[in-house]
Amino acid sequence: GQNIDQPTEMTATEGAIVQINCTYQTSGFNGLFWYQQHAGEAPTFLSYNVLDGLEEKGRFSSFLSRSKGYSYLLLKELQMKDSASYLCAVRGRGGKAAGNKLTFGGGTRVLVKP
Amino acid sequence: EPEVTQTPSHQVTQMGQEVILRCVPISNHLYFYWYRQILGQKVEFLVSFYNNEISEKSEIFDDQFSVERPDGSNFTLKIRSTKLEDSAMYFCASRGQGEVEAFFGQGTRLTVV
């Protein structure tokens, strides 16, 4: 099975940096995703890591350590619009034709204050 | 930009009634998914679909649930006899061959009363 843990909530100040950690235990691993979800809306893709290391994409970066079952999402130069939930998700292996479902953590709600 | 579309955006139904949630995945995508999110809880996988058959399903996806791709564009989720605990946001997603990202639709909020 899959078990994915991330903090429930974080608060940060506009312009600051916030790091959201995610730890996972999985029976199969085929990549780790971070999604952003505003209240009542669909998750939107932020980043993907399948190999160890850091992936940078503008103000957002994501890091993966497969040996430690650990990832983090780094949000820099926080803006008010970044207030949202950030979902860590692991893509598994298995199922016919590599269906590769995503298993999500509970999400981290980030509140950006002025 | 191509997107996954879902209808209706909100559906209210009485317990025991059948509902069909509709999705139009991005054209030329081959992998289709349904997820659900009960209010305040995490997004949960229901089922994946490829090559006109279910490739994987979760424990949630019991005999009350079924999926269908009736034509070349629609992908539907049917719940035969809804229960109060089926109340949730249902998200459809699709993914192209060899692509990493699954694109999510805006969701259908299902309320069972």
Side-chain angles (χ1 to χ4, degrees), chain A residues 36-100:
Chain A
Q36 181 190 61
Q37 187 181 30
H38 286 98
E41 297 184 11
T44 54
F45 172 81
L46 289 178
S47 71
Y48 167 72
N49 296 70
V50 69
L51 299 176
D52 292 351
L54 189 68
E55 293 284 339
E56 295 187 84
K57 209 175 180 183
R59 294 189 299 115
F60 296 167
S61 305
S62 57
F63 171 83
L64 175 67
S65 168
R66 288 171 296 168
S67 62
K68 294 181 180 174
Y70 168 69
S71 173
Y72 68 73
L73 178 70
L74 198 68
L75 286 64
K76 302 175 196 171
E77 300 168 21
L78 279 172
Q79 302 174 9
M80 298 299 290
K81 67 178 182 179
D82 296 330
S83 291
S85 285
Y86 292 85
L87 315 181
C88 174
V90 170
R91 190 166 75 180
R93 294 188 182 275
K96 286 189 284 187
N100 295 154

Side-chain angles (χ1 to χ4, degrees), chain A residues 37 43 87 104-105, chain B residues 35-37 41-45 91 104:
Chain A
Q37 187 181 30
L87 315 181
F104 286 84
Chain B
Y35 292 83
R36 80 169 186 192
Q37 186 175 31
Q41 298 187 23
K42 63 182 178 181
V43 176
E44 298 174 292
F45 169 76
F91 293 108
F104 283 76

